Amino acid sequence: MTTTDTAKVVAVTGASSGIGEATARRLAADGHRLFLGARRTGRLETLTGEITAAGGTAAFRRLDVTDAADVRAFVSAAREHHGRVDVLVNNAGVMPLSPLDALRTDEWDRMIDVNVRGVLHGIAAALPVMRAQGGGHFVNIASVGAYEVSPTAAVYCATKFAVRAISEGLRQESTGAIRVTLVSPGVTESELADTISDPAAREAMKTYRAVALPASAVAEAIAYAVAQPPQVDVNEIVVRPAASAQ
């Protein structure tokens, strides 16, 4: 672990696996103090223990980003535990792809609740805290699906287009005190595809994900944005596998 005088308090949603877990490990190694949230507390406990054993600083709380009150409690707990909240990584997401004519409206609602409302709940909870302390940084995780649409992914892409729009609006309204970074990964090794229940979409995703980034590559991009000095705001990062056309 590296400790510097630029260490920050970083809260991460969806921290139990994939990009969230990799980000927690990477930022802890940089000396930042982590507060981790997800529904799977067993995994959070293991991750927190491993970070602490390696010399880092981390704590966790169960979190459901679809519940605005729970997100407020999460941010409040992070502040109480570490004294402030410098960065919120809005990472939690789901991707149950299916063609629109499959009419999986429950899955559409789930994507909207987690991918869009979850980000809004994070902003609503952390923005007053950051304004009161004189600054802060939102890192919102989108997708290359925020820039293009593909079959079976219409609703998922819509949610990521929304995250992109919300991030840009927040940036324009922040007048420099609050930094905003949108990180849009291409195909990344994660459990995200496990939420696909439509058989055809699941099979197509196996081909689509044949070339994938390790989650650690996305964590590196997040670490880069977080490490910039206060006067530098890295607004958008798109990270794709070099061998992929997607």
Side-chain angles (χ1 to χ4, degrees):
M1 184 195 76
T2 301
T3 303
T4 71
D5 58 3
T6 57
K8 298 171 182 176
V9 174
V10 184
V12 183
T13 74
S16 61
S17 66
I19 291 170
E21 177 185 351
T23 298
R25 293 184 187 278
R26 179 65 175 81
L27 295 181
D30 283 349
H32 300 299
R33 293 175 287 165
L34 277 295
F35 197 80
L36 310 177
R39 291 178 301 160
R40 295 178 292 188
T41 54
R43 290 194 177 193
L44 291 180
E45 184 175 13
T46 298
L47 175 59
T48 298
E50 290 174 353
I51 288 173
T52 303
T57 302
F60 72 92
R61 183 185 188 278
R62 188 187 185 282
L63 173 64
D64 178 358
V65 298
T66 69
D67 183 335
D70 199 33
V71 180
R72 288 195 299 271
F74 171 73
V75 171
S76 178
R79 187 182 188 188
E80 289 175 7
H81 193 86
H82 291 304
R84 57 188 292 116
V85 178
D86 298 301
V87 184
L88 175 62
V89 181
N90 278 313
N91 167 71
V94 294
M95 190 184 68
L97 305 184
S98 64
L100 289 170
D101 64 9
L103 303 179
R104 296 178 181 266
T105 57
D106 57 334
E107 293 184 351
W108 302 349
D109 289 342
R110 180 65 178 164
M111 281 187 279
I112 292 167
D113 285 344
V114 176
N115 298 356
V116 182
R117 289 195 178 94
V119 170
L120 290 171
H121 292 162
I123 292 170
L127 187 56
V129 172
M130 293 180 181
R131 289 204 183 281
Q133 67 192 20
H137 190 178
F138 288 95
V139 179
N140 297 331
I141 308 304
S143 163
V144 291
Y147 302 86
E148 59 191 28
V149 181
S150 56
T152 75
V155 178
Y156 175 74
C157 292
T159 66
K160 295 305 184 178
F161 268 76
V163 172
R164 184 181 172 201
I166 291 163
S167 300
E168 175 60 10
L170 180 60
R171 182 195 70 79
Q172 292 182 18
E173 294 174 7
S174 295
T175 63
I178 309 296
R179 299 192 294 171
V180 183
T181 301
L182 181 76
V183 177
S184 296
V187 181
T188 304
E189 296 170 357
S190 74
E191 298 176 359
L192 202 57
D194 294 346
T195 62
I196 301 174
S197 61
D198 183 84
R202 178 182 283 270
E203 191 61 31
M205 186 53 57
K206 290 180 181 178
T207 301
Y208 185 82
R209 297 174 70 86
V211 178
L213 291 168
S216 59
V218 184
E220 289 289 342
I222 294 169
Y224 168 78
V226 169
Q228 299 309 300
Q231 68 272 24
V232 177
D233 190 3
V234 178
N235 300 139
E236 295 191 34
I237 303 176
V238 179
V239 186
R240 290 184 172 95
S244 174
Q246 303 298 330

